[in-house]
Amino acid sequence: MSVRFGVFVPQGWKMDLVEIADPVEQYEAMTAVAKLADAGPWDSIWLYDHFHTVPEPTINSVFEVWTATATLARDTSRVNIGQMVGCNGYRQPSLYAKIASTVDVASHGRLYAGLGAGWYEHEWKAYGYEWADVPQRMAAFREAVEIVHQMWTEERPVFTGKHYRIDGPINQPMRRPQLWLGGGGEKVTLKLVAQYADGSNVGNGNPEIIRQKLAVLREHCDRQGRDYSTIAKSTTVEVDLTWSTSQAIAKVEQVVEAGADYVIFYIPRVAYDHEPLQRFAEEVLTQF
């Protein structure tokens, strides 16, 4: 199986810029990792859509995802750029579609537009977004994906739902970036992947969960008449810096055997030490 690889840039969300005091230098550290990936064999770089740090909110920098995506698009020339994933609750879906179309042009067609239902309750409430339970968030997410698809494919789309409505918005330039949906919800998210998406992200590196979720996705594809092989089936792998090259290769082999064909690495401390990024590019990616 052919496998593609992506890597997260240090954005602040996982407290991965705190050893740099100046926010400008923090941003340049993020950009430096993006440029290294752009110069290497990586297919993509990725960002999170969050405002507050984890595992708990702290007074530290977290760079906004679409601003960072747009600037990194202009600081790189080859690598694709995605969000894992955009939070539906933070932007009305027609605006999301317009932003993505703009950034896709800025990147010369290198955007992987990520979208998910969202989950970080503290962040929603702090920023003034109305928090809802899972069924309501998923229902809004379902409508949002339909609207985004319409905005990218129709000149004057019309949609009236319970959570959103649009009445003939003009989205020019009309662009259709690749749409990646995050989450393993079997009844809603994976069905939407089969209907609309170019990529899916499931399992967080757990082979058993990846296998289970992709089996459900295949069933949805069969029902929808969708070619399962046309969907990128990604998972995120958090790197342990004590891993040897052979251990990293073995981890990739495990998730690939489970059905993933796209692996996105999160590498701790990459803002301060580029060696693991370069080593993975030279010794791990080349094996696949």
Side-chain angles (χ1 to χ4, degrees):
M1 177 188 291
S2 176
V3 184
R4 290 180 291 163
F5 293 89
V7 63
F8 281 94
V9 296
Q11 186 186 354
W13 182 54
K14 292 194 172 186
M15 305 286 288
D16 46 17
L17 293 169
V18 296
E19 294 176 33
I20 303 171
D22 182 358
V24 173
E25 292 182 8
Q26 292 174 340
Y27 208 93
E28 293 305 320
M30 176 178 67
T31 302
V33 172
K35 288 182 175 180
L36 277 174
D38 192 46
W42 303 89
D43 177 74
S44 57
I45 55 174
W46 295 84
L47 301 102
Y48 297 104
D49 188 10
H50 287 292
F51 308 136
H52 290 174
T53 60
V54 288
E56 62 183 21
T58 61
I59 308 299
N60 284 290
S61 299
V62 179
F63 293 116
E64 194 278 323
V65 67
W66 278 107
T67 313
T69 301
T71 58
L72 294 178
R74 304 300 290 180
D75 284 330
T76 57
S77 61
R78 180 199 62 82
V79 73
N80 295 298
I81 307 172
Q83 305 85 36
M84 193 55 67
V85 283
C87 176
N88 178 56
Y90 296 164
R91 299 161 198 87
Q92 205 271 0
S94 55
L95 174 61
Y96 169 94
K98 180 66 172 178
I99 293 170
S101 294
T102 300
V103 176
D104 192 56
V105 172
S107 68
H108 297 197
R110 293 183 286 126
L111 177 65
Y112 292 165
L115 192 59
W119 61 271
Y120 199 0
E121 180 178 354
H122 178 279
E123 197 173 67
W124 285 59
K125 291 179 176 178
Y127 268 75
Y129 295 110
E130 183 178 353
W131 179 251
D133 59 16
V134 171
Q136 186 173 339
R137 293 204 314 279
M138 294 309 298
F141 176 55
R142 182 191 293 112
E143 290 186 10
V145 173
E146 293 183 36
I147 288 173
V148 169
H149 176 74
Q150 286 184 248
M151 291 283 292
W152 289 346
T153 57
E154 300 176 20
E155 287 189 353
R156 294 181 182 271
V158 175
F159 181 92
T160 301
K162 181 179 179 181
H163 301 277
Y164 303 112
R165 63 183 298 273
I166 54 173
D167 186 14
I170 298 169
N171 183 31
Q172 293 294 336
M174 186 185 291
R175 302 285 291 193
R176 204 306 191 177
Q178 286 201 30
L179 178 63
W180 289 57
L181 300 182
E186 297 181 5
K187 294 181 179 179
V188 177
T189 302
L190 294 179
K191 183 178 180 180
L192 290 170
V193 171
Q195 290 176 293
Y196 298 110
D198 302 284
S200 176
N201 186 265
V202 297
N204 288 326
N206 184 313
E208 183 178 342
I209 296 176
I210 294 168
R211 191 174 289 109
Q212 172 190 336
K213 299 300 182 181
L214 293 183
V216 173
L217 176 59
R218 187 183 290 274
E219 291 174 0
H220 283 304
C221 286
D222 290 344
R223 294 191 190 100
Q224 296 287 333
R226 174 77 184 274
D227 184 350
Y228 175 79
S229 69
T230 63
I231 300 170
K233 293 162 281 289
S234 74
T235 195
T236 301
V237 172
E238 299 233 1
V239 171
D240 183 333
L241 292 177
T242 67
W243 284 351
S244 66
T245 296
S246 62
Q247 288 173 305
I249 290 173
K251 180 61 178 178
V252 175
E253 289 175 339
Q254 289 172 4
V255 299
V256 169
E257 191 277 330
D261 56 16
Y262 205 112
V263 178
I264 305 171
F265 288 116
Y266 177 82
I267 304 176
R269 302 192 58 77
V270 72
Y272 322 116
D273 181 6
H274 296 160
E275 187 276 333
L277 177 74
Q278 294 170 314
R279 176 164 52 87
F280 272 55
E282 295 169 2
E283 300 178 6
V284 179
L285 275 59
T286 54
Q287 301 303 306
F288 299 89

